[in-house]
Amino acid sequence: MQILIVDDDDIALDLLDSALRGAGYTDLTTAMSGAEALAIVEATETPFDVFLLDIQMPGIDGIELCSRLRAMPEYESVPIIMITAMQERHYIEQAFAAGAMDYINKPFDPIELGVRIGIASRLSRQAHRVEEYATEAAILKARTGVGASFAADEPITIRDVPRVIGMTAMENYLLRLNYWMTINSKSVVFSVVGFRLIHAQTSPSDLYDVLSDTACAIANGLKHTKHLVTYVGDGKFVAVVNGRNATLDADTLLAIQSELDQCPPILSSGLEYPVQLNMGAVYTPSILSVPNRLNLLLGPQQLAPGTNQPRERKPTAA
Amino acid sequence: MNDISNAQTTIGASVQNLRERFIDRAYHQAQELDHLLGQLEADPSDQAARASVTSIVHKISGVAKTLGFERLGILAHEAECDLIAQGNQTTADTTVIAFEKVEVLIEELDSVIAS
């Protein structure tokens, strides 16, 4: 497994190198700047399997480097782990929003680092298998016209929408929040009404477009907050917002729904597909409640519909 | 368990070597921080000097604890948080407040070097 470690501090770089070699990872490349890292990535013949990036670096910092790597097709799904002394929520959020999958604080435990890289490596192998499957599916589609499908409850990753991250990344983000960060968060679940019907009626690529447009509307509706959103399957999106005073109410849903009504997803047939959303109860941890965990946010109370009543919608001509 | 003990042995040998390099570097960092604080005392609006201080403190904060310099790591982290929280406030008063912890950090660096 090829690992690229990027840190502008030579001692930190050697420490990380030693820790990983001690854990049995020997195929390591180091870089002392974002620019050097990008040059290495562009020149390498064998793609890297995992990236370890420091955040605070002069020039191209770790966050920007992460974004640039994610923009490369071959590194869309590769695990990127930020490792930094910056514990403030702002940096954690930025890192995950830029596409990081995990976040480790310095000073790090060398043994823990090895374990986390192991987990990242398994995810990397899964990502390669998905890519191979996608290639096979593309070949199949070209021959038969039938594309790869995904199950209604499958938590696919919505790409290309700012601040919408994968479910694994969201799980790791929530785990990285300390007690006070968690107390100062709010979470809510948005549900696409009649999703199972939409899943049954549309092709996989159209369904992805519906979910992507919905994610975009949700992210736009929350744009005045510091937020991250993830898709968890079954037409459900979980939004985590920073700040107990952040507004998450019926007006939020109204703004999101308004955008979806004005610009509904357009299917490959040219028809518009109206989407209606419900918003669950806003979850605000109390001092005595358990910290945020993604599975807790999907409990019955959080999934309960808000004021909107569900009604079936059909595609209409654009 | 063999894997873990092997990893610990390998890391242990490297850490000792890195500790020596860290102490060597700490000598120069302490001098540089002292010099930069002098510059900032003369001109609290010197953003380049402020950025340099933050960068040095960040580097110390990132590795000190892992290398066994726990108190130094804690002081560096606190100083870094103060520097970031101060942001662009550049009055003489706020500079003094923000850099008090850097001065404490310099004292600890001197202590680590001396020991």
Side-chain angles (χ1 to χ4, degrees):
Chain A
M1 183 173 65
Q2 278 219 99
I3 303 174
L4 177 62
I5 312 167
V6 189
D7 197 314
D8 65 319
D9 179 352
D10 60 314
I11 291 180
L13 208 52
D14 289 348
L15 193 53
L16 286 164
D17 186 286
S18 295
L20 289 174
R21 287 186 193 280
Y25 300 100
T26 55
D27 201 350
L28 306 175
T29 306
T30 58
M32 287 193 66
S33 71
E36 186 184 349
L38 287 171
I40 291 170
V41 163
E42 280 162 25
T44 188
E45 289 180 2
T46 313
F48 290 95
D49 300 292
V50 178
F51 293 92
L52 271 181
L53 311 181
D54 185 26
I55 288 184
Q56 297 283 91
M57 294 188 291
I60 301 173
D61 67 14
I63 305 253
E64 187 183 342
L65 178 57
C66 180
S67 295
R68 290 207 199 181
L69 289 170
R70 280 289 181 240
M72 301 178 185
E74 63 270 40
Y75 295 120
E76 242 179 21
S77 310
V78 166
I80 299 178
I81 300 172
M82 312 304 286
I83 177 157
T84 182
M86 307 308 298
Q87 296 182 20
E88 284 69 27
R89 180 174 194 155
H90 164 71
Y91 291 98
I92 300 175
E93 258 178 25
Q94 274 196 316
F96 281 100
M101 183 179 284
D102 204 354
Y103 185 105
I104 299 176
N105 283 124
K106 288 176 184 174
F108 60 89
D109 180 323
I111 305 301
E112 184 197 350
L113 178 66
V115 169
R116 299 272 275 277
I117 293 294
I119 293 171
S121 132
R122 282 196 290 281
L123 288 171
S124 175
R125 287 196 290 274
Q126 280 177 8
H128 282 144
R129 281 199 291 274
V130 166
E131 197 178 308
E132 284 167 9
Y133 175 69
T135 304
E136 288 174 19
I139 294 171
L140 180 63
K141 181 175 180 179
R143 291 167 61 188
T144 66
V146 176
S149 63
F150 54 91
D153 60 353
E154 193 171 332
I156 61 166
T157 300
I158 307 293
R159 303 191 193 283
D160 303 325
V161 181
R163 304 195 81 89
V164 177
I165 64 179
M167 199 164 138
T168 301
M170 180 62 91
E171 293 273 14
N172 286 333
Y173 167 71
L174 293 173
L175 284 169
R176 300 296 155 253
L177 298 181
N178 60 30
Y179 177 78
W180 295 108
M181 291 175 186
T182 305
I183 289 296
N184 283 306
S185 297
K186 284 183 180 181
S187 310
V188 70
V189 179
F190 294 97
S191 305
V192 174
V193 176
F195 179 73
R196 294 266 167 165
L197 186 64
I198 299 173
H199 180 267
Q201 287 182 341
T202 56
S203 69
S205 60
D206 278 344
L207 184 60
Y208 178 87
D209 287 341
V210 168
L211 290 171
S212 176
D213 286 357
T214 304
C216 195
I218 293 171
N220 284 340
L222 298 173
K223 68 183 172 202
H224 298 297
T225 67
K226 290 183 180 174
H227 66 274
L228 290 171
V229 179
T230 192
Y231 176 66
V232 297
D234 251 336
K236 295 180 180 49
F237 295 85
V238 174
V240 179
V241 174
N242 179 14
R244 288 180 75 86
N245 296 326
T247 304
L248 269 183
D249 55 18
D251 286 340
T252 309
L253 179 61
L254 204 61
I256 297 170
Q257 187 64 63
S258 175
E259 177 170 332
L260 282 168
D261 290 342
Q262 287 171 19
C263 302
I266 297 178
L267 308 181
S268 51
S269 60
L271 293 175
E272 291 179 346
Y273 202 101
V275 172
Q276 185 173 0
L277 282 187
N278 275 341
M279 188 170 100
V282 176
Y283 175 69
T284 306
S286 69
I287 291 175
L288 298 177
S289 69
V290 296
N292 260 351
R293 291 295 181 267
L294 198 52
N295 60 337
L296 294 177
L297 304 179
L298 297 170
Q301 190 171 355
Q302 275 61 54
L303 290 172
T307 54
N308 286 4
Q309 292 301 316
R311 52 192 168 90
E312 189 182 320
R313 292 186 165 199
K314 292 185 165 48
T316 57
Chain B
M1 287 304 268
N2 268 341
D3 286 343
I4 293 175
S5 63
N6 284 342
Q8 287 175 325
T9 304
T10 306
I11 293 164
S14 298
V15 163
Q16 186 52 39
N17 173 266
L18 289 167
R19 277 174 64 94
E20 290 166 11
R21 281 171 56 189
F22 178 85
I23 293 171
D24 285 343
R25 188 172 79 175
Y27 174 76
H28 298 286
Q29 286 174 325
Q31 289 190 320
E32 183 65 16
L33 283 173
D34 220 14
H35 171 70
L36 288 165
L37 285 189
Q39 275 184 252
L40 283 161
E41 207 171 339
D43 178 10
S45 66
D46 188 341
Q47 291 301 324
R50 180 180 301 276
S52 295
V53 169
T54 306
S55 174
I56 292 170
V57 171
H58 173 71
K59 281 193 160 88
I60 296 169
S61 169
V63 295
K65 253 191 181 181
T66 305
L67 292 174
F69 303 106
E70 177 139 358
R71 176 169 157 77
L72 188 62
I74 293 170
L75 291 174
H77 177 67
E78 288 175 358
E80 186 178 14
C81 289
D82 264 17
L83 288 165
I84 292 169
Q86 196 208 19
N88 292 322
Q89 300 171 41
T90 55
T91 66
D93 286 346
T94 55
T95 300
V96 165
I97 293 167
F99 292 141
E100 270 177 4
K101 288 198 174 152
V102 177
E103 286 170 352
V104 172
L105 177 63
I106 294 172
E107 285 172 14
E108 182 64 17
L109 277 169
D110 289 338
S111 169
V112 164
I113 295 160
S115 65

